[in-house]
Amino acid sequence: MTSSSDDERQSARVRRARPPVDRTAEPVASDWSHRADLAESAVVSRHLRRLWAAPGTRLGVVGWPPRRRERLYFTWNYWWQAHLIDCAIDAANRDPTPARTRRVARLARAHRLRNITGWCNNYYDDMAWLALTLERAERNRGIAKVRGGLRALEKELIIGWQPRIGAFPWRKGADYYNTPANGPAGIALARLGRYARAEEIGDWLDKHLRDGETGLILDGVHLPAGRVERPLYTYCQGVVLGLETELAAHTGDFRHIDRVQRLLAAVQDQMTDRSVVTGGGGGDGGLFNGILARYLALTALLLPGEEADQVGARSVAAAIVKASARAAWEHRLEVEGEPLFGPDWSRPARMPAGKGGAGGPTGHGSVSASTSPERDLSVQLSGWMLMEAAYLVTAAGL
């Protein structure tokens, strides 16, 4: 695999950075930083390479060990790459280095080139995820070259909202209005200062997709038919926690705080076991639990209020992140000294069995799992995302 000298030096530095973690002790922030370093190094060494030998680019190969078509980026998965950039920003925020900032810029450049037609596509969930990533790249890392892409994506989010419905369709021209599009779109709009629209989206999600029986957030609804798709996914809970936390922090309106508290209680009761997030898969599903962990960490850090309920909610969110991270770390495989995470953090990870059975489009706009989900970049990004989240909440003393 080709890689820049910057990437090679960074990987080597990470592997030599600190002595092994004492597993008998409760991990502290420096332990989680070391583990996040190793998760970063694993993704860099196994998955990152130039896009079509173009200078100044890096993109994630979607499977490891890779197939030829994956190495050539015939398959690349737009929204996975957005989360790859987000994880690279996490690492650069945690321990800033010039190499890490360059990597963020190279990943963003490669994303734009591989998308061929520009920054945008026809899927509002995809575009919302990339908007969130580019906003962070500019705000946190000062990468001004992404500004044009962020403006193009913001424009799509402005014109794509359907006032008659009060929400975004999953993709342009679709009748399906779902949480995976509206959750991240609402967070992106809030971070871009469009709080009124973000609040409308939060209200729509709470009214139409919060399940009255479980308190969890459903996947979506077909309109105007009104047929609800009732699967319960961890990432739907994550993005709504993120949106309501952003709104609570900005507005102080108790309805947003209350929604976070109620949804967090439902997640704890029904989607964790001893505070470890349960289940998991590959393909697109490989990102679901990592997204929940990212926004649980946001809730732990940003949910306002000093009453017992708010303090307790922040504590619960942090506890789920840390328990899940401990489980994922204990169940990892080590390959050449670097972690390989499993899709289910409560079960031992397995070495991918060859290159066959790689995930591909399902025909419904999603990507299926590889035969060995550990192959999938999505699964490894979730593990990296989780280590970064555990660092954040531990460094904050939570």
Side-chain angles (χ1 to χ4, degrees), residues 63-129:
W64 180 84
R67 300 171 71 188
R68 185 170 182 271
R69 65 181 291 107
E70 294 165 349
R71 290 196 304 271
L72 295 175
Y73 295 108
F74 292 147
T75 300
W76 74 296
N77 301 343
Y78 180 115
W79 82 291
W80 295 17
Q81 305 293 335
H83 284 283
L84 170 58
I85 304 170
D86 236 3
C87 286
I89 295 168
D90 291 340
N93 288 345
R94 173 174 48 82
D95 185 9
T97 67
R100 281 178 165 137
T101 298
R102 284 194 296 271
R103 182 175 298 133
V104 173
R106 289 171 176 173
L107 288 165
R109 169 175 159 76
H111 196 291
R112 163 62 186 86
L113 291 175
R114 177 57 186 84
N115 200 46
I116 299 174
T117 58
W119 293 98
C120 305
N121 69 7
N122 290 326
Y123 291 83
Y124 288 105
D125 54 347
D126 283 1
M127 290 190 286
W129 287 122

Side-chain angles (χ1 to χ4, degrees), residues 276-300:
V276 176
V277 176
T278 54
D284 281 345
L287 282 164
F288 291 3
N289 289 356
I291 290 167
L292 175 58
R294 176 181 292 284
Y295 291 108
L296 283 167
L298 183 79
T299 298

Side-chain angles (χ1 to χ4, degrees), residues 8-250:
E8 289 168 352
R9 285 195 295 270
Q10 176 71 5
S11 295
R13 186 194 70 78
V14 165
R15 285 194 291 270
R16 296 193 299 267
R18 300 178 182 89
V21 172
D22 178 2
R23 296 182 185 176
T24 65
E26 178 69 17
V28 296
S30 59
D31 298 329
W32 290 121
S33 183
H34 176 55
R35 294 171 182 184
D37 276 347
L38 292 173
E40 172 196 22
S41 182
V43 169
V44 168
S45 64
R46 295 176 193 146
H47 290 273
L48 263 61
R49 58 188 298 125
R50 284 185 180 181
L51 171 65
W52 303 326
T57 63
R58 288 294 179 274
L59 203 64
V61 177
V62 298
W64 180 84
R67 300 171 71 188
R68 185 170 182 271
R69 65 181 291 107
E70 294 165 349
R71 290 196 304 271
L72 295 175
Y73 295 108
F74 292 147
T75 300
W76 74 296
N77 301 343
Y78 180 115
W79 82 291
W80 295 17
Q81 305 293 335
H83 284 283
L84 170 58
I85 304 170
D86 236 3
C87 286
I89 295 168
D90 291 340
N93 288 345
R94 173 174 48 82
D95 185 9
T97 67
R100 281 178 165 137
T101 298
R102 284 194 296 271
R103 182 175 298 133
V104 173
R106 289 171 176 173
L107 288 165
R109 169 175 159 76
H111 196 291
R112 163 62 186 86
L113 291 175
R114 177 57 186 84
N115 200 46
I116 299 174
T117 58
W119 293 98
C120 305
N121 69 7
N122 290 326
Y123 291 83
Y124 288 105
D125 54 347
D126 283 1
M127 290 190 286
W129 287 122
L130 188 59
L132 281 167
T133 294
L134 297 187
E135 191 276 335
R136 291 185 73 211
E138 182 179 24
R139 172 169 51 90
N140 294 160
R141 308 312 320 152
I143 300 174
K145 289 183 178 180
V146 304
R147 189 170 300 152
L150 180 57
R151 297 298 170 257
L153 291 160
E154 183 179 10
K155 181 179 178 181
E156 290 286 347
L157 294 179
I158 292 168
I159 64 177
W161 187 75
Q162 303 296 302
R164 182 175 58 84
I165 303 297
F168 289 92
W170 170 48
R171 68 176 181 225
K172 293 179 181 180
D175 73 345
Y176 191 48
Y177 293 77
N178 67 354
T179 305
N182 284 278
I187 299 169
L189 289 168
R191 291 183 182 176
L192 291 167
R194 298 180 180 275
Y195 293 104
R197 180 58 45 82
E199 280 202 290
E200 289 180 285
I201 292 168
D203 292 343
W204 184 88
L205 287 164
D206 188 70
K207 179 179 179 181
H208 295 280
L209 292 180
R210 187 184 293 270
D211 180 36
E213 181 177 344
T214 65
L216 295 167
I217 304 299
L218 302 171
D219 191 63
V221 57
H222 296 269
L223 295 172
R227 179 167 57 86
V228 177
E229 300 285 354
R230 304 192 65 83
L232 296 168
Y233 298 119
T234 50
Y235 80 139
C236 291
Q237 321 315 312
V239 295
V240 173
L241 285 170
L243 173 57
E244 294 292 351
T245 297
E246 292 275 356
L247 293 172
H250 174 74

Side-chain angles (χ1 to χ4, degrees), residues 32 273-277 318-328 345 386:
W32 290 121
D273 181 7
R274 299 181 183 179
S275 293
V276 176
V277 176
I320 295 172
V321 170
K322 292 188 291 184
S324 298
R326 287 194 298 270
W345 295 330
L386 178 62

